[in-house]
Amino acid sequence: MQSVDSPANPVSTVDTAFEILELIHANEGATLLSLADDLDLAKSTIHRHLQTLLHRQYIVRDGDQYYLSLRFLEFGRQAQTRKKGYPMVEEKVKELAEETGERVQFIVEEHGQAVYVYRETGSHAVQTDPGIGKRIPIHTTSAGKAILAHLEEDYVEQIFDHYGLAALTDFTETDEDALFEEFERIRDRGYSINEQENVEGLHALGTTVHDEHGDVLGAISISGPSHRMKGKLFEEELPNLLLGTANEVELNIVHS
Amino acid sequence: MQSVDSPANPVSTVDTAFEILELIHANEGATLLSLADDLDLAKSTIHRHLQTLLHRQYIVRDGDQYYLSLRFLEFGRQAQTRKKGYPMVEEKVKELAEETGERVQFIVEEHGQAVYVYRETGSHAVQTDPGIGKRIPIHTTSAGKAILAHLEEDYVEQIFDHYGLAALTDFTETDEDALFEEFERIRDRGYSINEQENVEGLHALGTTVHDEHGDVLGAISISGPSHRMKGKLFEEELPNLLLGTANEVELNIVHS
DNA sequence: TTCAAGGTTCCGCATACTCGAATACATACT
DNA sequence: AGTATGTATTCGAGTATGCGGAACCTTGAA
């Protein structure tokens, strides 16, 4: 994770601006006054910031509410399609969702967290969608574990040190040594398994996608309700489909 | 358009930060030095800014290149789904694309420009996709014209004054009076027509979607190559489909 | 008519942003 | 090996500029 540590002297004004944006995001809209209250800054200060952001078109105003603008979508889309492999993954994610009928996702590691980059929910998929772009603790997802298993150990330890190992359900693995052992099994097996470590009643399988240099791009996962995800399907058929898809993607990436 | 005029005294440090982000976006990645050159700022200044943005996870670093992070995707998605009507439109856009086989888009007016919010490219749609989130002059698209036809005239004039009336092709209408007359016809007819005003060889139809208070949410458009988009299809069948879809969406929005 | 909630403007002061030079680290070329 | 080039990082000083606070404005509800 790049730059875990706070910079020696950050540009605090920029910090303030993003704190404003993050608050607007968290509350899905905010007023000048509520921002001044929450951030303990003078109204006039917030006002100046909002005017600046408004002028640069990063926020929009509707009456006395300020909202994030669609400008961010443009930035986000660039991040989402930055590496040439990403769009190729997207296609395959769709295909896999159609084939299996379950929810298929593509997750990328960024700043030590798992970020949802693509998702396709097959015909009978469940609805527990953390939105695209959302970030969650990386050790709690099948795709995240698959990624960790293929990153440098030093880096993984940095991540754990920085974020800790939170438990999202009773089944979340929070022991560091156990995780590192699991990573070994994941490398051997080729894919990772998640049984309710993230959401109760949800099972998932994940496997990494590598770029032409062998670096990890991210990981694809298939997830569905525990009662469906079991037996031969969960232990053989889906893993094979998943690994096959990852393989196809990697072939596409190399030959392009 | 809210706040056309520059604020009296903007927070210039915030301006700097976003100029950095916009440069990274424009160049799809940048180095510290290139940023310092382009912005005429000291290396150390850029460095401090980058460190701040890195720490807040708005950019990522790969070697000596800095890129926009997926964080913006989260912000962008919020903007994209902010109004409850948007997701409903998305569904219908997909349906319409499937039915017609052409490219169907949903466009919203923001800060006086047309922003692409959703797109579905039907089976035999052409590939001239300005990305989702991209902004273009609003008077050059069918959807944009439909929106303008339903906004307050004062506001529309403000937009024209601010951005001017650029021509994207030889067919772009750049005469203000002619546009206002066209808006009247659009209101009468219920939908707008675009014949190569935006991209050579591309025809399109657009119509607005209103929310429960009658305010304009945005507009849906169907577009395709001129050789296909003509005759009865272009003058009757597609307009009817389009208007029907817009109507369905509005009914959904009211009853929810 | 007043009050409250929201936004806007203005000015003086001290903070903190910017600069520039020095340092460091790779990689590539000779 | 040695030099050059492109890159990032650190530090101290000076001053531009961001911040606070008070006054003012608007709107809508009591």
Side-chain angles (χ1 to χ4, degrees):
Chain A
M1 205 172 15
Q2 34 207 351
S3 85
V4 176
D5 16 282
S6 310
N9 34 0
V11 187
S12 52
T13 309
V14 175
D15 269 324
T16 306
F18 279 104
E19 263 158 34
I20 290 174
L21 291 171
E22 286 170 24
L23 258 175
I24 295 178
H25 178 243
N27 303 329
E28 302 188 37
T31 66
L32 187 155
L33 225 51
S34 77
L35 291 167
D37 274 359
D38 291 351
L39 294 176
D40 248 313
L41 289 170
K43 280 196 297 177
S44 52
T45 304
I46 301 289
H47 180 251
R48 248 156 52 86
H49 273 274
L50 289 176
Q51 289 305 317
T52 306
L53 292 171
L54 222 32
H55 181 245
R56 289 200 94 82
Q57 312 193 342
Y58 289 99
I59 57 177
V60 292
R61 182 175 175 176
D62 186 2
D64 49 22
Q65 288 288 311
Y66 294 87
Y67 301 99
L68 299 181
S69 88
L70 290 162
R71 198 96 210 262
F72 290 112
L73 197 52
E74 203 178 347
F75 283 6
R77 290 286 302 178
Q78 174 162 115
Q80 199 183 22
T81 55
R82 200 183 97 220
K83 301 201 179 172
K84 79 168 197 282
Y86 289 176
M88 298 184 186
V89 171
E90 189 183 11
E91 268 184 58
K92 291 291 174 188
V93 162
K94 282 186 185 167
E95 284 179 28
L96 195 54
E98 210 156 305
E99 254 180 287
T100 62
E102 300 291 352
R103 183 172 67 167
V104 179
Q105 297 173 316
F106 180 57
I107 278 182
V108 161
E109 179 268 336
E110 192 176 89
H111 286 285
Q113 291 168 300
V115 189
Y116 293 95
V117 177
Y118 295 119
R119 161 178 308 127
E120 195 70 27
T121 54
S123 50
H124 45 85
V126 284
Q127 279 292 351
T128 352
D129 296 3
I132 292 297
K134 279 273 185 309
R135 302 188 299 290
I136 67 163
I138 192 162
H139 67 287
T140 66
T141 73
S142 57
K145 288 192 295 184
I147 293 172
L148 291 176
H150 292 269
L151 293 179
E152 308 222 347
E153 225 170 277
D154 286 6
Y155 181 57
V156 175
E157 260 163 16
Q158 272 183 57
I159 293 175
F160 290 169
D161 288 352
H162 186 66
Y163 290 104
L165 291 167
L168 295 194
T169 71
D170 294 347
F171 304 97
T172 308
E173 179 59 75
T174 59
D175 182 69
E176 185 163 331
D177 293 335
L179 277 168
F180 276 109
E181 280 166 32
E182 187 175 352
F183 295 158
E184 235 178 283
R185 289 196 297 278
I186 292 172
R187 281 189 296 268
D188 287 348
R189 198 198 288 129
Y191 63 92
S192 63
I193 300 172
N194 179 331
E195 295 181 316
Q196 311 193 55
E197 293 162 44
N198 179 14
V199 181
E200 308 264 346
L202 201 76
H203 284 189
L205 300 169
T207 194
T208 44
V209 177
H210 302 257
D211 68 11
E212 64 270 37
H213 310 107
D215 293 331
V216 179
L217 271 182
I220 301 176
S221 73
I222 307 181
S223 48
S226 337
H227 65 80
R228 213 154 54 213
M229 305 290 269
K230 64 182 180 193
K232 199 173 168 193
L233 178 73
F234 192 59
E235 282 153 30
E236 272 190 42
E237 296 170 20
L238 288 179
N240 285 340
L241 263 173
L242 182 63
L243 291 175
T245 300
N247 227 301
E248 282 177 49
V249 175
E250 289 179 354
L251 281 175
N252 282 349
I253 291 171
V254 174
H255 299 123
S256 69
Chain B
M1 207 172 14
Q2 35 205 353
S3 84
V4 175
D5 16 282
S6 310
N9 36 357
V11 187
S12 53
T13 310
V14 175
D15 268 325
T16 305
F18 279 104
E19 265 159 33
I20 291 174
L21 291 171
E22 286 169 25
L23 259 175
I24 295 178
H25 177 242
N27 303 329
E28 303 188 37
T31 66
L32 188 155
L33 226 52
S34 77
L35 291 168
D37 275 359
D38 291 352
L39 294 177
D40 248 311
L41 290 171
K43 281 194 297 177
S44 50
T45 304
I46 301 290
H47 180 249
R48 243 156 56 87
H49 273 273
L50 289 176
Q51 289 306 316
T52 306
L53 291 170
L54 222 32
H55 181 245
R56 289 200 93 83
Q57 311 192 344
Y58 289 99
I59 56 178
V60 293
R61 182 176 174 176
D62 185 2
D64 49 22
Q65 289 287 312
Y66 295 87
Y67 301 99
L68 299 181
S69 88
L70 291 161
R71 199 101 210 258
F72 290 112
L73 199 51
E74 204 178 348
F75 283 6
R77 290 286 300 178
Q78 174 162 114
Q80 199 183 23
T81 54
R82 201 184 96 220
K83 301 200 178 172
K84 79 168 197 280
Y86 290 176
M88 298 184 186
V89 171
E90 188 184 12
E91 267 184 58
K92 292 292 174 188
V93 162
K94 282 185 186 168
E95 283 179 29
L96 195 55
E98 209 157 306
E99 255 181 288
T100 62
E102 300 291 351
R103 183 173 67 169
V104 179
Q105 297 173 314
F106 180 57
I107 278 183
V108 161
E109 179 270 334
E110 192 176 89
H111 286 285
Q113 292 169 299
V115 188
Y116 293 94
V117 177
Y118 296 118
R119 160 179 310 129
E120 194 71 27
T121 54
S123 50
H124 44 84
V126 284
Q127 279 292 352
T128 352
D129 295 4
I132 291 297
K134 279 273 184 308
R135 303 187 299 292
I136 67 164
I138 193 163
H139 67 288
T140 66
T141 74
S142 57
K145 288 193 294 183
I147 293 173
L148 290 177
H150 293 269
L151 293 179
E152 309 222 346
E153 225 170 277
D154 286 6
Y155 181 58
V156 175
E157 260 164 17
Q158 270 183 56
I159 294 175
F160 290 170
D161 287 352
H162 186 66
Y163 289 105
L165 290 167
L168 294 194
T169 72
D170 294 345
F171 304 97
T172 308
E173 179 59 75
T174 58
D175 182 70
E176 184 163 331
D177 293 335
L179 277 168
F180 276 110
E181 280 167 31
E182 187 176 352
F183 295 159
E184 235 179 282
R185 290 196 297 278
I186 292 173
R187 281 191 295 269
D188 288 347
R189 199 198 290 128
Y191 63 92
S192 64
I193 300 173
N194 179 331
E195 294 182 318
Q196 312 193 57
E197 294 163 44
N198 178 14
V199 180
E200 308 265 346
L202 201 76
H203 285 190
L205 300 169
T207 194
T208 44
V209 177
H210 302 256
D211 68 11
E212 64 269 37
H213 310 107
D215 293 331
V216 179
L217 270 182
I220 301 176
S221 74
I222 307 181
S223 49
S226 338
H227 65 81
R228 213 155 54 214
M229 304 290 268
K230 64 182 180 191
K232 200 175 167 192
L233 178 74
F234 193 58
E235 282 153 29
E236 272 190 42
E237 295 170 21
L238 288 180
N240 285 339
L241 263 174
L242 182 63
L243 291 175
T245 300
N247 226 302
E248 283 177 49
V249 174
E250 289 178 354
L251 282 175
N252 282 349
I253 290 172
V254 174
H255 299 123
S256 69

